[in-house]
Amino acid sequence: MTYTSDEMMAVAAARALSGRQRVFVGIGLPSTAANLARRTHAPDLVLVYESGTLGSKPDRLPASIGDGILAETADAVISVPEVFNYWLQPGRIDVGFLGAAQLDRFGNINTTVIGGDYHHPKVRLPGAGGAPEIAASCREVYVVVRQTSRSFVERVDFVTSFGHGTGKGDRERLGLRGAGPTLVITDLGVFRPDPDTSELVLTDLHEGVALDDVRAATGWDVKVAPELGRTPPPTAEELSALRALKEASK
Amino acid sequence: MTYTSDEMMAVAAARALSGRQRVFVGIGLPSTAANLARRTHAPDLVLVYESGTLGSKPDRLPASIGDGILAETADAVISVPEVFNYWLQPGRIDVGFLGAAQLDRFGNINTTVIGGDYHHPKVRLPGAGGAPEIAASCREVYVVVRQTSRSFVERVDFVTSFGHGTGKGDRERLGLRGAGPTLVITDLGVFRPDPDTSELVLTDLHEGVALDDVRAATGWDVKVAPELGRTPPPTAEELSALRALKEASK
Amino acid sequence: MAEIGTLADAVGELIADGDVVALEGFTHLIPTAAGHEIIRQGRRDLTLVRMTPDIVYDQLIGAGCARKLVFSWGGNPGVGSLHRFRDAVQNSWPVPLEIEEHSHAGMANRYVAGASGLPFAVLRGYVGTDLPSVTATIKPITCPFTGEELTAVPALNPDVTVIHAQRADRDGNVQLWGLLGVQKEAVLAARRSLVTVEEVVDELTPVPGAIVLPSWAVTKVAEVPGGAHPSYAQGYSERDNAYYAAWDPISRDREEFANWLREVREEVPA
Amino acid sequence: MAEIGTLADAVGELIADGDVVALEGFTHLIPTAAGHEIIRQGRRDLTLVRMTPDIVYDQLIGAGCARKLVFSWGGNPGVGSLHRFRDAVQNSWPVPLEIEEHSHAGMANRYVAGASGLPFAVLRGYVGTDLPSVTATIKPITCPFTGEELTAVPALNPDVTVIHAQRADRDGNVQLWGLLGVQKEAVLAARRSLVTVEEVVDELTPVPGAIVLPSWAVTKVAEVPGGAHPSYAQGYSERDNAYYAAWDPISRDREEFANWLREVREEVPA
């Protein structure tokens, strides 16, 4: 079966989830991946949405974090203050699954402004939403993002959500409890923070992608893991599950 | 109809409530009085119980603040943190209706310890419950208490709930928003704080009670209002409503 | 006791130029009809507060009703950007828009503090981000027991909060269910409140997951069926996803938007 | 995922001597059977936490299980005093009992802070009272925005919280309704938790006013029908008011209490 690079990204992201992990799901790519995982190899995933649903089990992709299907299929529906205070903040969530408009070498995320200064930006983005505290409080953070040299930058224009700051030890110094971004999945490959420096390093290339494609789409001199992996292409089962999810949401 | 002094007290306390007042109801005498008021002249009273019920409409006296009938007949059932944080603390309640083991000349309430010191008390009482914040946050506080020279004292052994402290201006100095105890109803009469000193002054004698009875049952040299009122005895309607409430709760 | 009346009267009586106004609703139960009535009544200089300003705030901003936005995520959910919001921030069109920007956790806790009669709330938030450098209402606070440093944000106490709910009874008690967002807190934090409802009924029969706001905690209620469109009211309507998509081209273009605005201004109020 | 097992096993595995243990329930849904099992297993030196210690805490204290009580109101609701509690405070019988005394608002907020992963909570509380002079865990705190002084109390994070609920499903998801008290907060604040339930069912059908604690937020579930007696479980049982009255003479007399204790110790655990 042929597939798009977005489909490869969704499948690779879905594969990162497993078992009974509690996943705080951002809308868009993360939600697609988390729902795909739940419909394929990880049916027991616990999906938590910031709109206040614990354990949502939608049978189609929610159109937004407030899609009614998230409430109707949830184990519990709670208020927005409660989801942040009782469920996210104390560290009850295993994986925070985020998107990004801009991501930097140390996994910091920008969804606020690009270019210019804060008060006179070139592009005004939606802002923080739940991301700063998701990035701070979940045990790990996975980021799913389409990679270009404009989105994958040396240093984000604005730190909306803190990743690894300027490198190893910054999170600990700030007293952040979660491990921060441990996995970044793009349409080209997979990145993980270097254990010594926390710099994002390419650890896997998706099937059919060349290393030069990644270099061209990375705004810094990207390091490559000594043993570079290859993401297996989507299986027929994965692709049909993904397409069925998307079809059902139309 | 003959009646007991407790019945007179309940009726006098009930008469103090009116209209659509929001009343935070302590269990025991205050609950009896508030429910009697709702069943007689003030059907629109909003009864709030610290167990988390807004607008309870019980048709019998609840056996405790957690009686199921309070939840079953409420407009809304909420958690205990919510009742204190969202409903009591911001000043949404008109009248805090409290009992007391010991009450002093300035309306301070003790329900903690009597005699000895705090760590070696002569009598250990139940403690604060919701009262300190009820006394602080409601627009006014009404206290219902059986009066003896041991319960009506110059100075409480322990300030569980702050009334008027040592006199006029203490509440303002502490930044308390509510007016504090504006009415004290006993089995002998009614007391109100003097507008200049905040000392509790006898303003009404219940029918059949002599001034000397009050003096004998007050642990300080009690002042009497220049125009001492007389509480009319319970009407037949009030008495039968009160007895029906009590009967139904057996 | 909440008064039950028309939307136009309620907006007219409750909302004045310069007010701090929150129209809350977390994707579900967004009080869009009330927003359009604010546009029709030509309010100006509002400080608009909302966790998730979306289309109705884009419309209010494009119509020139707002001088400031307090928020944590502004977008057209599932579609993209708010172009009227962008135009106001980037080009001061039609009027300059000041912004006060928080995270969801911060905004939610600001409403909680407001509903609780407290001047501030404490959270683990904003650490390491650039938000405290651009937003004055984020400050450190130290735990008096452990010495640990946390973050404080000030209470939000809007002059008026507007929400949409499924039902009210004739006494003005309000019932809502499904995704509850931060609506209860936003109403309780406000000095005055308006609830538009799908219907006014004789009795609020119990519904699983429903909460009730007692009549005495609400200022005014107006019956506005479909008042949350293009969002939805669980049990009453579905989200109109096509409208969200259709908003994108309208909002991208000032002239298209002006046409839309003219139509809304000519609508007969609910 | 909550494990479903017997009460005796759950208490044995979760509660150790010296633990900080909260058995919560605000008149409704009091986990009395679990308290009796703690007595049978002979736990010692517990710090017992509860807003409203009533009969079951009187029993635990009389049985010598506790060295400390953290509370805001201790009494036999609708009847009078807790005589075992009084005897422990006034006469150190059977062992001395340290107390840490708060108000309801303070205790509720301490659980909220605990459930929220915060080290403290802020409230308008205790002002003018003598409680801060006898309780070290009440301190002033200043609003960083307004300069106003408020009150801080530290988080409660029990080693174990025990509650009773109406139902659980076979995955260990717990559902409770009626008066909810502070049970959700107490469970979420605790390191470990045990929920006794009236019944384990195949499916948790929705109930108005019900909340659900997901299985992954609970450590163990035990099916103990009537486990809240003499309190009640709405929809399952009525409060046994006669038992509350009958407790008064038993608890007033050390010998009567000893007889009661012997009987409980001989009961076959649920």
Side-chain angles (χ1 to χ4, degrees):
Chain A
M1 274 167 107
T2 59
Y3 56 88
T4 67
S5 60
D6 264 15
E7 287 175 329
M8 178 73 256
M9 172 167 60
V11 167
R15 288 174 186 159
L17 301 171
S18 65
R20 299 183 180 279
Q21 282 180 318
R22 283 101 82 155
V23 187
F24 205 106
V25 187
I27 206 63
L29 299 172
S31 183
T32 304
N35 278 289
L36 177 58
R38 216 183 55 78
R39 304 278 287 186
T40 52
H41 65 283
D44 294 327
L45 281 183
V46 177
L47 306 190
V48 177
Y49 285 84
E50 66 191 15
S51 47
T53 65
L54 304 177
S56 290
K57 292 168 271 295
D59 56 7
R60 56 172 173 79
L61 285 180
S64 78
I65 49 158
D67 195 313
I69 201 167
L70 297 176
E72 287 156 22
T73 62
D75 292 327
V77 178
I78 56 183
S79 74
V80 166
E82 185 182 325
V83 77
F84 284 101
N85 289 347
Y86 286 6
W87 300 90
L88 177 66
Q89 183 167 265
R92 297 183 211 281
I93 310 294
D94 298 310
V95 179
F97 214 154
L98 295 174
Q102 215 182 36
L103 183 84
D104 74 19
R105 189 172 157 188
F106 291 102
N108 303 296
I109 294 173
N110 176 15
T111 56
T112 304
V113 286
I114 290 182
D117 69 16
Y118 174 77
H119 293 287
H120 306 87
K122 193 149 155 274
V123 182
R124 172 69 232 194
L125 299 166
E133 287 74 25
I134 295 171
S137 298
C138 295
R139 289 186 198 169
E140 299 181 76
V141 175
Y142 298 170
V143 186
V144 206
V145 55
R146 284 187 198 94
Q147 186 179 353
T148 71
S149 59
R150 284 172 60 211
S151 67
F152 248 56
V153 297
E154 169 71 28
R155 178 75 189 161
V156 286
D157 295 350
F158 189 96
V159 179
T160 312
S161 302
F162 192 81
H164 299 288
T166 59
K168 186 78 180 169
D170 271 12
R171 290 185 71 87
E172 292 76 2
R173 268 190 291 282
L174 289 170
L176 292 168
R177 295 163 159 199
T182 55
L183 194 65
V184 175
I185 298 131
T186 79
D187 47 345
L188 303 179
V190 175
F191 298 76
R192 291 183 172 84
D194 181 284
D196 296 324
T197 65
S198 293
E199 178 179 335
L200 291 179
V201 170
L202 181 72
T203 59
D204 299 86
L205 273 177
H206 295 332
E207 185 65 39
V209 176
L211 189 51
D212 277 352
D213 298 338
V214 173
R215 291 199 200 281
T218 305
W220 70 88
D221 184 13
V222 65
K223 296 205 174 92
V224 178
E227 299 192 23
L228 186 61
R230 268 282 171 194
T231 316
T235 65
E237 190 207 342
E238 286 167 333
L239 273 183
S240 62
L242 176 58
R243 289 168 187 176
L245 266 175
K246 294 211 164 187
E247 188 57 38
S249 69
K250 272 177 190 156
Chain B
M1 273 168 108
T2 60
Y3 56 88
T4 67
S5 60
D6 264 17
E7 286 175 330
M8 178 73 257
M9 173 167 58
V11 167
R15 289 175 186 161
L17 300 171
S18 64
R20 299 183 180 279
Q21 283 180 316
R22 283 101 82 156
V23 187
F24 204 106
V25 187
I27 206 63
L29 298 172
S31 182
T32 305
N35 279 288
L36 176 58
R38 217 184 54 80
R39 303 278 287 187
T40 52
H41 64 283
D44 294 328
L45 282 184
V46 177
L47 306 190
V48 177
Y49 284 83
E50 66 190 15
S51 47
T53 65
L54 304 177
S56 289
K57 292 167 270 295
D59 55 7
R60 57 172 172 78
L61 286 180
S64 78
I65 49 158
D67 195 314
I69 200 165
L70 297 176
E72 289 156 20
T73 62
D75 293 326
V77 178
I78 55 181
S79 74
V80 166
E82 185 182 325
V83 76
F84 284 101
N85 289 348
Y86 286 5
W87 300 90
L88 178 65
Q89 184 167 265
R92 297 183 210 282
I93 310 293
D94 298 309
V95 179
F97 214 154
L98 295 174
Q102 217 182 33
L103 183 84
D104 74 19
R105 191 172 155 186
F106 291 102
N108 302 296
I109 294 173
N110 176 16
T111 55
T112 304
V113 286
I114 290 184
D117 69 14
Y118 174 77
H119 293 288
H120 305 87
K122 193 151 154 275
V123 182
R124 174 67 232 193
L125 299 166
E133 286 75 23
I134 295 171
S137 299
C138 296
R139 289 187 197 167
E140 299 181 75
V141 175
Y142 298 169
V143 186
V144 207
V145 55
R146 284 187 199 94
Q147 187 179 354
T148 71
S149 59
R150 285 171 60 210
S151 68
F152 247 59
V153 297
E154 169 71 29
R155 180 74 189 162
V156 285
D157 295 350
F158 189 97
V159 180
T160 312
S161 301
F162 193 80
H164 299 288
T166 58
K168 186 76 182 171
D170 271 13
R171 291 185 70 88
E172 292 77 2
R173 268 189 291 281
L174 289 169
L176 293 167
R177 294 163 160 200
T182 53
L183 194 64
V184 174
I185 298 132
T186 79
D187 47 347
L188 302 180
V190 176
F191 298 76
R192 291 184 172 85
D194 181 283
D196 295 324
T197 65
S198 292
E199 178 178 333
L200 291 179
V201 170
L202 181 72
T203 59
D204 299 85
L205 272 179
H206 296 333
E207 185 65 38
V209 176
L211 190 51
D212 278 353
D213 298 338
V214 172
R215 292 199 199 280
T218 305
W220 72 87
D221 185 11
V222 65
K223 295 203 175 96
V224 179
E227 298 192 22
L228 186 61
R230 268 284 169 191
T231 318
T235 65
E237 190 206 342
E238 285 167 333
L239 272 184
S240 62
L242 175 58
R243 288 169 188 174
L245 267 175
K246 294 213 164 186
E247 188 57 37
S249 70
K250 273 179 188 156
Chain C
M1 285 284 290
E3 268 180 43
I4 302 182
T6 68
L7 175 59
D9 287 350
V11 166
E13 288 169 41
L14 294 184
I15 304 178
D17 287 353
D19 274 354
V20 177
V21 180
L23 281 73
E24 272 297 345
F26 208 88
T27 314
H28 180 217
L29 291 174
I30 297 170
T32 313
H36 293 177
E37 183 58 29
I38 293 171
I39 291 174
R40 272 193 295 275
Q41 297 198 9
R43 293 284 70 76
R44 285 292 175 276
D45 293 324
L46 301 179
T47 293
L48 291 177
V49 180
R50 188 158 163 216
M51 293 185 64
T52 52
D54 60 3
I55 290 180
V56 66
Y57 270 41
D58 209 33
Q59 294 168 340
L60 283 156
I61 290 165
C65 301
R67 65 159 202 85
K68 183 174 177 182
L69 178 68
V70 182
F71 76 110
S72 39
W73 190 90
N76 184 343
V79 178
S81 291
L82 297 179
H83 300 287
R84 296 297 92 228
F85 164 60
R86 276 192 172 191
D87 207 5
V89 170
Q90 294 170 215
N91 309 311
S92 298
W93 193 93
V95 290
L97 184 72
E98 190 188 337
I99 57 174
E100 179 180 327
E101 188 163 5
H102 279 266
S103 68
H104 278 354
M107 284 291 282
N109 277 292
R110 296 186 67 186
Y111 279 123
V112 168
S116 302
L118 292 174
F120 71 105
V122 178
L123 73 156
R124 298 184 182 280
Y126 304 98
V127 176
T129 76
D130 285 339
L131 284 163
S133 71
V134 298
T135 302
T137 46
I138 302 170
K139 290 196 177 180
I141 190 163
T142 304
C143 172
F145 301 100
T146 64
E148 193 181 355
E149 190 171 285
L150 297 113
T151 302
V153 288
L156 276 170
N157 290 107
D159 293 308
V160 189
T161 287
V162 183
I163 66 166
H164 187 75
Q166 278 95 343
R167 313 195 297 191
D169 66 18
R170 298 189 196 286
D171 291 331
N173 298 295
V174 169
Q175 189 185 39
L176 57 156
W177 63 89
L179 295 171
L180 301 171
V182 74
Q183 281 99 305
K184 178 191 267 192
E185 288 75 14
V187 166
L188 294 182
R191 290 171 185 85
R192 305 183 291 280
S193 56
L194 163 61
V195 184
T196 58
V197 295
E198 289 293 321
E199 57 172 342
V200 175
V201 297
D202 289 330
E203 199 194 352
L204 298 177
T205 48
V207 174
I211 59 169
V212 170
L213 289 169
S215 175
W216 48 276
V218 173
T219 316
K220 287 182 187 284
V221 168
E223 192 176 47
V224 186
H229 180 268
S231 84
Y232 68 107
Q234 194 170 314
Y236 285 81
S237 61
E238 296 285 328
R239 190 172 190 268
D240 183 354
N241 294 321
Y243 186 104
Y244 284 86
W247 182 250
D248 193 70
I250 296 171
S251 68
R252 277 180 190 275
D253 186 276
R254 289 182 188 174
E255 205 161 318
E256 287 287 320
F257 175 74
N259 291 336
W260 176 88
L261 196 55
R262 196 159 36 242
E263 279 172 35
V264 164
R265 288 197 172 129
E266 284 165 6
E267 264 172 31
V268 178
Chain D
M1 285 283 290
E3 269 181 43
I4 302 182
T6 68
L7 176 59
D9 286 350
V11 167
E13 287 169 44
L14 293 184
I15 304 179
D17 288 352
D19 274 355
V20 177
V21 180
L23 282 74
E24 272 298 346
F26 209 87
T27 313
H28 181 216
L29 293 174
I30 297 169
T32 313
H36 292 178
E37 183 58 28
I38 294 171
I39 291 175
R40 271 193 295 277
Q41 297 198 10
R43 294 284 70 75
R44 285 290 175 276
D45 293 325
L46 301 178
T47 293
L48 292 177
V49 181
R50 187 160 164 216
M51 292 184 66
T52 53
D54 60 3
I55 291 182
V56 66
Y57 270 41
D58 209 32
Q59 295 167 340
L60 284 156
I61 290 165
C65 300
R67 67 160 202 82
K68 183 174 176 182
L69 178 68
V70 182
F71 77 110
S72 39
W73 190 90
N76 183 343
V79 177
S81 291
L82 297 179
H83 300 288
R84 296 298 91 227
F85 164 59
R86 276 192 171 190
D87 207 6
V89 170
Q90 294 171 216
N91 310 309
S92 296
W93 192 94
V95 292
L97 184 72
E98 189 187 337
I99 58 175
E100 179 179 328
E101 189 162 4
H102 280 265
S103 68
H104 278 355
M107 284 291 283
N109 277 293
R110 295 185 68 186
Y111 279 123
V112 168
S116 303
L118 293 174
F120 71 104
V122 177
L123 71 156
R124 298 185 182 279
Y126 304 97
V127 176
T129 77
D130 285 340
L131 284 162
S133 70
V134 298
T135 302
T137 46
I138 302 170
K139 290 196 177 180
I141 190 163
T142 303
C143 172
F145 301 100
T146 64
E148 193 181 355
E149 189 171 285
L150 296 114
T151 302
V153 287
L156 275 170
N157 290 107
D159 293 308
V160 189
T161 287
V162 183
I163 67 166
H164 187 74
Q166 278 96 341
R167 312 195 297 192
D169 65 19
R170 296 187 198 287
D171 291 332
N173 298 295
V174 169
Q175 189 186 39
L176 56 156
W177 64 88
L179 294 171
L180 301 171
V182 74
Q183 279 98 306
K184 179 190 267 191
E185 288 76 14
V187 166
L188 295 181
R191 289 172 184 86
R192 306 183 291 280
S193 57
L194 163 61
V195 183
T196 58
V197 296
E198 290 292 322
E199 57 172 342
V200 174
V201 297
D202 289 331
E203 198 194 351
L204 298 177
T205 47
V207 173
I211 59 170
V212 170
L213 289 170
S215 176
W216 48 275
V218 172
T219 317
K220 286 183 187 284
V221 168
E223 191 176 45
V224 187
H229 179 267
S231 83
Y232 68 106
Q234 193 170 314
Y236 286 82
S237 60
E238 296 284 329
R239 190 172 190 266
D240 184 353
N241 294 321
Y243 187 104
Y244 284 85
W247 182 251
D248 193 70
I250 296 172
S251 69
R252 277 180 189 274
D253 186 276
R254 289 182 188 174
E255 206 160 316
E256 287 286 320
F257 175 73
N259 290 336
W260 177 88
L261 196 54
R262 196 158 37 241
E263 279 171 35
V264 164
R265 287 194 172 130
E266 284 165 6
E267 265 172 29
V268 177

